[in-house]
Amino acid sequence: MAAWAEQLQRELAGRGLAVASVPGKGRGLVAARSFFPGEVIICQEPYASTPNRISVGSSCDHCFASGNLRKCSVCRVAWYCGSACQKEEWKLHQLECQAISALTEERKKMLTPTIRLMVQLILRRKLQSEKAIASSATDNYNLVDALESHISKVDDNQLVLYAQMANLVQLILPSIELDLKEIAHTFSKFACNAHTICDPELRPLGTGLFPAISIINHSCVPNAVLLFEGRTAYVRALQPLSSNTEVSISYIETAATTLKRHNDLKQYFFTCTCPRCIKDSEEDDLLEGYRCKDQKCDGFLLPDSGKKAYTCQKCSISRDEEEVKKVSSEILLLSDKASSLLSSGNNSEAGSVYKIIEQLEQKHYHSFSITLLHTRETLLKIYMELQDWQTALMYCRLTIPVYERVYPPFHPMVGLQFYTCGKLEWLLEYTEDALKLLTRAADVLRITHGTQSQFMKELFGKLEEARAEVSFRLSSGEEQIS
């Protein structure tokens, strides 16, 4: 075993972890002791990271905060929220700044987040090799070097693109001798190892490479979750983990059919064989299923090719295949119109069309259909933006039972939807309902998000406020009307 790998194992052993060979998966991270739900299994700063939108200042280059941003006056690409973050990044950005400042305006436009991520990685490697900045067992280029690139499985068009991107990196860093083939391989590593850095509400902020965390394998029924505070990655246990248990996170959105999940995982060049993927045919039928013709029946339809129909698996009532196709086509045409209205910023008209779609889908799809759920999520966002809180609350309430069905109990999406619903209830002065939802949100999010972030402190503050209000109303004899 290489010296750096031994150092990594020693460092991880101190955290109750080990890198082990997992049958059918290659390397994986394994618990060497017990972890309780909500406990941090591992946390890591990125080896390299960049905000999503580098030209407009979407977030601070160091802490990923979004307020009080100022552009670097020299390169005019980097953004910082204050002098403290600028100083933290200075050794790295000094070199990057010189390189970017030497570019023509045309070449600056070619500086995508992925290109910038590579430039930062190369400069960090250079500074660590020169001992200008510190390295450690979990923060060194050897860990990046050990990541799987899957380059032999990449198609020719993508290989050409990686080669072009490598040449652009050479133009940005002409003073550093680079191996263009190695850089192309590293771009391929980005594609299957980099993580999207999100805010506490899971909105994407940027991309980071976290080499130690990249050792963790995927499962559609994960026992841990990866979330971020600023740009720092935290992996927390979602359930009790015993010694010798492999730690797993989800690389993709898991509220989807097996086929959709497997398609989403193609970029990682493996097929998931977790328990859910092996036995989920009935759940798939439910998630993409049509509803029974009998509105009182909660069964879902299965294709009956012999009759050119769909038959309810519960009561055996059939729907004609042509009828199903006709309604599906009508929904598709309306969806194109609604999407066009939404993209042009016409939220009010888009909301009206999506309402018609939702009514059609309610009669057409099963109540747990992912298609119907996505329509209601869109309506929730539209009416939140329109500040029509009552309508937004109606759609948010409708999503809750589906979230509880398609996600495990301690999943950040479940907790965040409880939180959104609770805030809407509070805004509309349905105080007792708000208290129930905020309590449920806190129960989930303290596991997934921890308790120390500003986001969680705000949640706990709202919860205490709701408790106090409910206590006051009970003591004064007031009743809630909702």
Side-chain angles (χ1 to χ4, degrees):
M1 186 185 288
W4 66 266
E6 290 178 355
Q7 289 171 354
L8 176 64
Q9 289 284 31
R10 283 197 298 272
E11 172 69 23
L12 292 176
R15 306 183 191 192
L17 298 165
V19 178
S21 178
V22 181
K25 296 182 180 181
R27 293 190 309 165
L29 199 65
V30 175
R33 64 169 176 86
S34 298
F35 287 89
F36 58 81
E39 185 176 2
V40 175
I41 296 170
I42 186 172
C43 67
Q44 187 179 22
E45 293 290 321
Y47 191 81
S49 64
T50 183
N52 275 344
R53 301 188 321 179
I54 57 178
S55 59
V56 295
S58 57
S59 54
C60 172
D61 274 40
H62 179 69
C63 71
F64 276 58
S66 57
N68 303 314
L69 298 178
R70 286 192 170 188
K71 190 186 291 188
C72 172
S73 59
V74 181
C75 71
R76 306 191 66 76
V77 168
W79 294 76
Y80 299 102
C81 64
S83 58
C85 282
Q86 191 170 13
K87 284 175 185 174
E88 285 288 329
E89 289 288 299
W90 178 241
K91 285 184 180 177
L92 180 65
H93 182 61
Q94 184 180 23
L95 298 182
E96 181 193 35
C97 192
Q98 290 168 1
I100 293 171
S101 301
L103 298 175
T104 63
E105 287 305 312
E106 277 304 304
R107 284 201 175 143
K108 275 188 184 179
K109 290 176 185 175
M110 299 169 76
L111 195 66
T112 64
T114 307
I115 296 291
R116 192 172 175 215
L117 191 68
M118 180 64 76
V119 168
Q120 292 206 355
L121 181 142
I122 291 165
L123 294 176
R124 187 172 182 81
R125 178 187 186 182
K126 170 182 165 63
L127 289 167
Q128 284 187 331
S129 67
E130 294 170 351
K131 307 249 184 317
I133 59 174
S135 60
S136 70
T138 55
D139 178 20
N140 64 78
Y141 186 78
N142 290 311
L143 295 172
V144 178
D145 201 36
L147 295 174
E148 181 59 66
S149 69
H150 296 286
I151 197 76
S152 62
K153 301 172 187 174
V154 174
D155 66 49
D156 290 344
N157 290 335
Q158 194 64 43
L159 287 174
V160 169
L161 179 60
Y162 288 155
Q164 290 170 342
M165 291 163 73
N167 281 317
L168 180 56
V169 172
Q170 179 71 86
L171 290 172
I172 296 168
L173 299 172
S175 62
I176 300 176
E177 189 176 333
L178 300 176
D179 181 334
L180 296 186
K181 185 178 178 182
E182 181 188 355
I183 291 174
H185 278 238
T186 306
F187 275 124
S188 189
K189 289 177 184 181
F190 285 175
C192 46
N193 288 284
H195 290 94
T196 301
I197 298 171
C198 297
D199 71 6
E201 296 180 73
L202 305 187
R203 293 176 295 221
L205 298 175
T207 305
L209 190 64
F210 302 83
I213 286 174
S214 292
I215 297 168
I216 300 173
N217 288 315
H218 163 86
S219 173
C220 298
V221 278
N223 54 29
V225 64
L226 168 63
L227 289 171
F228 300 86
E229 290 178 24
R231 67 174 188 180
T232 307
Y234 288 84
V235 176
R236 290 185 174 90
L238 291 176
Q239 60 195 55
L241 299 186
S242 57
S243 184
N244 296 321
T245 301
E246 185 191 3
V247 178
S248 60
I249 59 174
S250 177
Y251 296 176
I252 56 167
E253 167 60 79
T254 56
T257 62
T258 304
L259 178 62
K260 174 71 165 63
R261 297 197 308 275
H262 284 193
N263 281 335
D264 290 346
L265 287 168
K266 281 181 179 176
Q267 73 177 93
Y268 301 101
F269 302 101
F270 71 88
T271 301
C272 185
T273 56
C274 73
R276 185 177 173 198
C277 286
I278 291 169
K279 66 174 182 64
D280 253 3
S281 58
E282 184 170 315
E283 187 203 27
D284 287 349
D285 291 330
L286 181 69
L287 294 182
E288 63 183 5
Y290 302 111
R291 71 171 303 150
C292 181
K293 209 168 187 176
D294 180 355
Q295 298 290 304
K296 294 177 182 176
C297 176
D298 63 354
F300 55 87
L301 305 186
L302 294 171
D304 189 341
S305 55
K307 296 181 181 178
K308 288 193 174 180
Y310 290 86
T311 304
C312 177
Q313 44 75 238
K314 194 167 185 180
C315 70
S316 299
I317 293 177
S318 293
R319 282 178 71 183
D320 183 69
E321 188 177 71
E322 286 304 312
E323 176 203 341
V324 170
K325 284 181 178 177
K326 184 181 176 182
V327 179
S328 296
S329 296
E330 187 180 350
I331 289 170
L332 190 61
L333 284 171
L334 283 168
S335 296
D336 288 342
K337 180 182 178 182
S339 180
S340 177
L341 286 167
L342 196 59
S343 61
S344 63
N346 198 334
N347 285 357
S348 186
E349 277 192 54
S352 298
V353 179
Y354 273 115
K355 273 186 173 182
I356 297 168
I357 293 168
E358 190 255 352
Q359 287 163 6
L360 282 171
E361 288 178 346
Q362 202 173 348
K363 294 176 183 176
H364 190 53
Y365 290 106
H366 191 274
S367 58
F368 288 117
S369 156
I370 290 294
T371 304
L372 178 57
L373 173 65
H374 290 335
T375 299
R376 286 171 170 167
E377 287 172 332
T378 302
L379 281 162
L380 168 60
K381 288 175 186 172
I382 288 171
Y383 286 102
M384 290 276 279
E385 287 186 20
L386 292 170
Q387 296 187 7
D388 181 345
W389 309 124
Q390 193 71 57
T391 307
L393 175 59
M394 177 184 74
Y395 287 114
C396 197
R397 284 173 171 171
L398 288 169
T399 65
I400 294 289
V402 191
Y403 271 61
E404 292 181 294
R405 173 67 187 245
V406 299
Y407 292 112
F410 292 102
H411 191 285
M413 291 292 286
V414 175
L416 290 169
Q417 204 71 349
F418 284 150
Y419 193 16
T420 300
C421 205
K423 286 189 287 188
L424 287 167
E425 303 271 14
W426 175 256
L427 192 65
L428 292 163
E429 298 187 359
Y430 304 145
T431 316
E432 289 179 32
D433 289 338
L435 177 58
K436 289 173 188 173
L437 268 298
L438 292 172
T439 301
R440 295 181 75 183
D443 288 344
V444 175
L445 297 177
R446 71 173 72 247
I447 299 295
T448 60
H449 287 59
T451 58
Q452 300 305 309
S453 67
Q454 186 58 37
F455 172 79
M456 289 303 293
K457 287 173 183 174
E458 287 172 10
L459 166 55
F460 294 141
K462 282 187 172 64
L463 186 55
E464 285 308 309
E465 201 176 343
R467 279 182 184 142
E469 180 69 20
V470 168
S471 295
F472 173 77
R473 289 191 174 195
L474 288 172
S475 64
S476 61
E478 286 186 41
E479 288 186 8
Q480 171 179 286
I481 299 172
S482 61

